[in-house]
Each structure stands twice: as structure tokens, then as C-alpha cells.
Amino acid sequence: LGREASRAPAIVAAMADADPAVASAAKAAVAALKLDVDAIRAEAGMKTPTIAELKAEDVLTQVVGQGGDRVRGEQLYSQAGCVACHTVRKSEAMKGPFLGNITTLYRRRELAEAILDPNKTIAQGFVTNQFTMRDGSVRVGFVTREGAEVVAVRDITGQQQDVRVADIAKREHLPISLMPAGLMGGFTVRDLAGLLDYLESLASGTP
């Protein structure tokens, strides 16, 4: 409560204490002090767990309370595969949901949650459609144009194709996002914080 952080390494280490009460108190202290958990672990020679090794709620609490490296976040945008399905500049050909202004639509925690669990909330207009064709083939994507004779479908790679309505045997709305879950599992909370910082910089116009 006094914002005294000289024992930060001990507080961070206590997050993994076997006593749930101690671990809970440590997590609350980390949030209150806005400690950069990954940086403290690195400096103290402690192993930094990946997101897959942490509880989702702990990841969300930490990533809201700490910043990351924006440059690393921009690298991660490509490294984690975001670039395959999203665009961040209006000059780029549209693929999936546009991310150039995403942080003006979602708060930091909400955006982090959408990245960690893309199936929880699917953006309007990006519901996954599955088309079973009369020839037995299957096409999956979201609809970008609906016509009486032709439906335009964009797949996960951003490729768009026209599907003739007369050739469709069955059409279904799937309860899952085209974005795979677990993309951030091998990265750290600080990495995710950097990605969020990068997305925030796009909306604010920060170079």
C-alpha cells in the first residue's frame, strides 16, 4: 500500500508459492505496484513462464498492469502470425478484422482476452461460415458480399473467392473463430504487453 517495491523479486517469486493465500497476496501486490514481472524475473535470473503455463486470469491482470516493448510487439505481430490474417493500415488489402484502430474499440484487457481466447467474442461480420459444395468440397471463411447468385468468401489467408449459390449443398455458421486459439502460448506476458503497446501506438499515431 505504501508503494515500496524494494522487495519486488521476492514478491514476484511468491506468486508461485504453494500457499494459495500467499500467492494471491503476491499477485495483488504485483498489480498494485505495477511491477514488470518478466523484467524482474530476468534480472533475478528466475525462469519466466510462458502464457501457456499461466492461468488466463493471471495473464490478463499482469498485462493490464504493465507495459512492454513496442518494437518487440511489432516484431511479434509478424512472428505470431497476426500479419497473415489482419491489416493495420488502410492502404493494405483487407483480410480479417482491421487492427489499425482496434484499441479505440476495445480496452486493453478486452483486447488481450480476445487474443488469448478468440472464440469468446467474434467480431460482427467475421462469423465463420462453412460451405459444403455439391461436389463434396468444403470452403470455410467469412462472407464479405452476399448476393442472390454469388457469395464472396474470404478465407484465413485473406484470399477471396466467389461461390455460386447454386453450387452450395449446405451452409453452416460455426461457433469458432478463424483465428486459432493458443497463438500466444509460447510467448511471455511481457511479449503480449508489447503487442498491445504496438497496437495502441497505431491508434495514437505514434511512429
PDB file of all heavy atoms in Angstrom, residues 26-35 61-62 65:
ATOM      1  N   ALA A  26       0.610 -12.005  -3.206  1.00  0.00           N
ATOM      2  CA  ALA A  26       1.711 -11.585  -4.072  1.00  0.00           C
ATOM      3  C   ALA A  26       1.182 -11.028  -5.388  1.00  0.00           C
ATOM      4  O   ALA A  26       1.662 -10.001  -5.889  1.00  0.00           O
ATOM      5  CB  ALA A  26       2.649 -12.760  -4.325  1.00  0.00           C
ATOM      6  N   LYS A  27       0.189 -11.688  -5.970  1.00  0.00           N
ATOM      7  CA  LYS A  27      -0.391 -11.226  -7.235  1.00  0.00           C
ATOM      8  C   LYS A  27      -1.059  -9.859  -7.054  1.00  0.00           C
ATOM      9  O   LYS A  27      -0.968  -8.986  -7.928  1.00  0.00           O
ATOM     10  CB  LYS A  27      -1.393 -12.255  -7.758  1.00  0.00           C
ATOM     11  CG  LYS A  27      -0.743 -13.546  -8.225  1.00  0.00           C
ATOM     12  CD  LYS A  27      -1.775 -14.630  -8.509  1.00  0.00           C
ATOM     13  CE  LYS A  27      -1.100 -15.952  -8.856  1.00  0.00           C
ATOM     14  NZ  LYS A  27      -2.086 -17.052  -9.013  1.00  0.00           N
ATOM     15  N   ALA A  28      -1.713  -9.682  -5.920  1.00  0.00           N
ATOM     16  CA  ALA A  28      -2.344  -8.390  -5.637  1.00  0.00           C
ATOM     17  C   ALA A  28      -1.286  -7.300  -5.490  1.00  0.00           C
ATOM     18  O   ALA A  28      -1.462  -6.168  -5.960  1.00  0.00           O
ATOM     19  CB  ALA A  28      -3.178  -8.488  -4.361  1.00  0.00           C
ATOM     20  N   ALA A  29      -0.154  -7.644  -4.853  1.00  0.00           N
ATOM     21  CA  ALA A  29       0.929  -6.672  -4.676  1.00  0.00           C
ATOM     22  C   ALA A  29       1.556  -6.313  -6.020  1.00  0.00           C
ATOM     23  O   ALA A  29       1.871  -5.147  -6.282  1.00  0.00           O
ATOM     24  CB  ALA A  29       1.991  -7.243  -3.738  1.00  0.00           C
ATOM     25  N   VAL A  30       1.736  -7.312  -6.874  1.00  0.00           N
ATOM     26  CA  VAL A  30       2.294  -7.065  -8.212  1.00  0.00           C
ATOM     27  C   VAL A  30       1.400  -6.098  -8.984  1.00  0.00           C
ATOM     28  O   VAL A  30       1.881  -5.163  -9.637  1.00  0.00           O
ATOM     29  CB  VAL A  30       2.446  -8.392  -8.987  1.00  0.00           C
ATOM     30  CG1 VAL A  30       2.664  -8.135 -10.471  1.00  0.00           C
ATOM     31  CG2 VAL A  30       3.616  -9.197  -8.420  1.00  0.00           C
ATOM     32  N   ALA A  31       0.095  -6.325  -8.917  1.00  0.00           N
ATOM     33  CA  ALA A  31      -0.851  -5.453  -9.616  1.00  0.00           C
ATOM     34  C   ALA A  31      -0.833  -4.046  -9.036  1.00  0.00           C
ATOM     35  O   ALA A  31      -0.818  -3.053  -9.771  1.00  0.00           O
ATOM     36  CB  ALA A  31      -2.258  -6.042  -9.551  1.00  0.00           C
ATOM     37  N   ALA A  32      -0.815  -3.935  -7.700  1.00  0.00           N
ATOM     38  CA  ALA A  32      -0.840  -2.624  -7.050  1.00  0.00           C
ATOM     39  C   ALA A  32       0.430  -1.825  -7.331  1.00  0.00           C
ATOM     40  O   ALA A  32       0.390  -0.605  -7.524  1.00  0.00           O
ATOM     41  CB  ALA A  32      -1.023  -2.797  -5.543  1.00  0.00           C
ATOM     42  N   LEU A  33       1.560  -2.521  -7.390  1.00  0.00           N
ATOM     43  CA  LEU A  33       2.846  -1.852  -7.613  1.00  0.00           C
ATOM     44  C   LEU A  33       3.172  -1.706  -9.103  1.00  0.00           C
ATOM     45  O   LEU A  33       4.176  -1.089  -9.449  1.00  0.00           O
ATOM     46  CB  LEU A  33       3.969  -2.638  -6.920  1.00  0.00           C
ATOM     47  CG  LEU A  33       3.916  -2.680  -5.386  1.00  0.00           C
ATOM     48  CD1 LEU A  33       4.929  -3.678  -4.846  1.00  0.00           C
ATOM     49  CD2 LEU A  33       4.164  -1.303  -4.802  1.00  0.00           C
ATOM     50  N   LYS A  34       2.324  -2.328  -9.960  1.00  0.00           N
ATOM     51  CA  LYS A  34       2.551  -2.294 -11.414  1.00  0.00           C
ATOM     52  C   LYS A  34       3.959  -2.790 -11.751  1.00  0.00           C
ATOM     53  O   LYS A  34       4.711  -2.154 -12.501  1.00  0.00           O
ATOM     54  CB  LYS A  34       2.330  -0.884 -11.984  1.00  0.00           C
ATOM     55  CG  LYS A  34       0.926  -0.344 -11.768  1.00  0.00           C
ATOM     56  CD  LYS A  34       0.721   0.960 -12.485  1.00  0.00           C
ATOM     57  CE  LYS A  34      -0.633   1.579 -12.217  1.00  0.00           C
ATOM     58  NZ  LYS A  34      -1.767   0.703 -12.415  1.00  0.00           N
ATOM     59  N   LEU A  35       4.324  -3.920 -11.169  1.00  0.00           N
ATOM     60  CA  LEU A  35       5.657  -4.484 -11.382  1.00  0.00           C
ATOM     61  C   LEU A  35       5.759  -5.121 -12.765  1.00  0.00           C
ATOM     62  O   LEU A  35       4.813  -5.761 -13.235  1.00  0.00           O
ATOM     63  CB  LEU A  35       5.963  -5.537 -10.313  1.00  0.00           C
ATOM     64  CG  LEU A  35       5.983  -5.061  -8.854  1.00  0.00           C
ATOM     65  CD1 LEU A  35       6.296  -6.234  -7.933  1.00  0.00           C
ATOM     66  CD2 LEU A  35       7.007  -3.948  -8.675  1.00  0.00           C
ATOM     67  N   THR A  61      -4.503  -9.944 -15.694  1.00  0.00           N
ATOM     68  CA  THR A  61      -4.195  -8.998 -14.616  1.00  0.00           C
ATOM     69  C   THR A  61      -2.819  -8.375 -14.822  1.00  0.00           C
ATOM     70  O   THR A  61      -2.638  -7.161 -14.687  1.00  0.00           O
ATOM     71  CB  THR A  61      -4.246  -9.706 -13.251  1.00  0.00           C
ATOM     72  OG1 THR A  61      -5.571 -10.209 -13.037  1.00  0.00           O
ATOM     73  CG2 THR A  61      -3.896  -8.740 -12.125  1.00  0.00           C
ATOM     74  N   GLN A  62      -1.838  -9.206 -15.168  1.00  0.00           N
ATOM     75  CA  GLN A  62      -0.478  -8.710 -15.354  1.00  0.00           C
ATOM     76  C   GLN A  62      -0.359  -7.795 -16.578  1.00  0.00           C
ATOM     77  O   GLN A  62       0.280  -6.743 -16.526  1.00  0.00           O
ATOM     78  CB  GLN A  62       0.494  -9.882 -15.500  1.00  0.00           C
ATOM     79  CG  GLN A  62       0.721 -10.691 -14.237  1.00  0.00           C
ATOM     80  CD  GLN A  62       1.704 -11.828 -14.451  1.00  0.00           C
ATOM     81  OE1 GLN A  62       2.708 -11.678 -15.147  1.00  0.00           O
ATOM     82  NE2 GLN A  62       1.417 -12.983 -13.882  1.00  0.00           N
ATOM     83  N   GLY A  65      -1.605  -4.325 -16.097  1.00  0.00           N
ATOM     84  CA  GLY A  65      -0.839  -3.505 -15.170  1.00  0.00           C
ATOM     85  C   GLY A  65       0.583  -3.206 -15.587  1.00  0.00           C
ATOM     86  O   GLY A  65       1.293  -2.498 -14.883  1.00  0.00           O
TER      87      GLY A  65
END
